[in-house]
Amino acid sequence: MFPATEPTASGLLSVSDEQQIYWETCGDDDGPPVLFLHGGPGSGCSVGSRRWFDPRYRAVLFDQRGCGRSRPLVDGDTDLSTNTTQHLIADIEALRVHLGVERWAVFGLSWGATLGLAYAHAHPERVTGLVLGLVVTTSAREVDWVTVDIGRIFPEAHDRFMGALPAHLRHLRPIEAYQVLLSDPNNQDWAADEWCAWEDVHVSLTPGHQPYFASQSAEFRLRFARLVTHYWCNSAFLDRDQLIDTAPALDGLPAVLVHGRLDVSSPLETAWRLARNWSTSTLVILEDAGHGGGPTLESAIIAGLRDIVR
């Protein structure tokens, strides 16, 4: 990855009466623009996110509403009705106009891949190409895999994850049961801890994996868990298999899809199906990477950006 740099500009953009999103630009203000979409939902951008970008690019990073340095932050009482994929797409367009960008490349990781695909479908005329890593489309099938079926790989941890649920909620899908708990002031803190412990488990097959959430604050864990379960419960506010089925509409937009064979959080099948339906995409399969990264992920992403960002 490239050395960390300081932003050339940054600010808070008001996107509604209540919401302000933090944004920053890095690199060459006259370089080809590329937008970064972070994962989560709810993780926000880090200083390390800047290191993906060649300093010749004009990299644009922002914290999605409710997280990172955007305001207000999601907490235990926040009404999430204005936190949807469609709201985030509108935020991206507002930021593009604010920065005076005509068209840009889009780079998204994990949840950011879902959001990048949805944005490209909504505004294809504003996108020059896409680089999508750790590909997910946040379909109900994918959500059920990562909350139920993957328990066949991690049975002991999954028993704890499910066993934490009160008896009166066990008739629900796990994602729905945890969403209920995370909205309840009497239960949301321990539910967030259980949710984040499970997140660390299912990315643990990544070579060199180190648990992430245990070192984060309780406030971060609650924010992250509330936003993830909100979007996952609603299948990213998209129709069933929408991003896979409509992928041919993106033919003509170049894309590089990067995915690891060891990614059990989001098995390779999703990226494979997307690439088969999108004739101008190229799928790069990494044999040594999982959902938390891997030895060759960084070089594959940077090579993809080099191919797409013009």
Side-chain angles (χ1 to χ4, degrees):
M1 298 176 77
F2 296 96
T5 59
E6 291 300 311
T8 57
S10 64
L12 285 169
L13 175 65
S14 294
V15 291
S16 73
D17 290 342
E18 298 83 19
Q19 301 283 340
Q20 293 181 308
I21 59 169
Y22 172 84
W23 62 270
E24 61 186 36
T25 58
C26 301
D28 183 351
D29 288 341
D30 296 320
V34 53
L35 172 72
F36 177 66
L37 300 175
H38 64 70
S43 62
C45 292
S46 66
V47 172
S49 302
R50 303 170 189 162
R51 298 189 58 208
W52 290 110
F53 301 102
D54 188 311
R56 294 174 297 178
Y57 304 158
R58 184 189 186 191
V60 179
L61 302 87
F62 79 102
D63 292 330
Q64 295 159 31
R65 56 173 64 194
C67 69
R69 290 150 292 184
S70 294
R71 293 294 182 268
L73 291 172
V74 166
D75 61 21
D77 298 324
T78 302
D79 175 8
L80 298 179
S81 61
T82 59
N83 210 309
T84 70
T85 302
Q86 291 71 35
H87 284 92
L88 297 183
I89 290 171
D91 293 348
I92 293 170
E93 271 297 276
L95 180 59
R96 183 190 63 77
V97 171
H98 177 71
L99 295 177
V101 175
E102 184 67 23
R103 301 175 73 216
W104 48 15
V106 174
F107 166 37
L109 291 173
S110 189
W111 156 254
T114 298
L115 182 56
L117 282 167
Y119 174 74
H121 278 286
H123 299 283
E125 73 284 359
R126 300 302 181 188
V127 178
T128 58
L130 299 96
V131 177
L132 306 177
L134 318 174
V135 179
V136 301
T137 65
T138 319
S139 67
R141 185 167 180 260
E142 292 168 66
V143 169
D144 286 342
W145 164 263
V146 80
T147 55
V148 179
D149 301 328
I150 200 175
R152 297 168 64 187
I153 301 173
F154 305 104
E156 69 279 31
H158 194 257
D159 276 357
R160 172 178 169 166
F161 177 65
M162 296 297 292
L165 296 175
H168 71 281
L169 295 179
R170 291 183 184 174
H171 67 287
L172 299 174
R173 295 168 68 208
I175 187 66
E176 295 166 349
Y178 269 95
Q179 186 187 44
V180 171
L181 293 170
L182 288 161
S183 300
D184 180 353
N186 295 317
N187 291 295
Q188 58 191 190
D189 290 333
W190 69 260
D193 290 345
E194 292 292 344
W195 179 270
C196 290
W198 175 243
E199 292 269 6
D200 267 333
V201 165
H202 64 72
V203 299
S204 64
L205 295 189
T206 297
H209 169 73
Q210 296 294 323
Y212 172 72
F213 289 99
S215 64
Q216 303 302 310
S217 68
E219 291 80 6
F220 177 88
R221 289 195 293 271
L222 177 58
R223 180 178 312 121
F224 180 88
R226 286 208 69 201
L227 283 167
V228 168
T229 56
H230 172 67
Y231 279 88
W232 286 16
C233 262
N234 291 285
S235 302
F237 300 90
L238 301 169
D239 293 336
R240 179 184 176 91
D241 285 333
Q242 178 178 329
L243 296 178
I244 299 288
D245 292 343
T246 61
L250 297 179
D251 285 348
L253 276 180
V256 175
L257 315 178
V258 180
H259 206 87
R261 181 86 65 186
L262 301 181
D263 191 339
V264 297
S265 303
S266 175
L268 179 59
E269 178 195 40
T270 296
W272 178 261
R273 292 175 64 208
L274 179 64
R276 288 184 65 186
N277 277 8
W278 188 356
S279 67
T280 51
S281 69
T282 300
L283 175 59
V284 178
I285 301 173
L286 307 178
E287 300 295 339
D288 60 357
H291 204 73
T296 57
L297 179 70
E298 293 170 358
S299 59
I301 291 290
I302 289 169
L305 288 167
R306 191 177 299 120
D307 288 343
I308 294 298
V309 180
R310 303 291 184 186

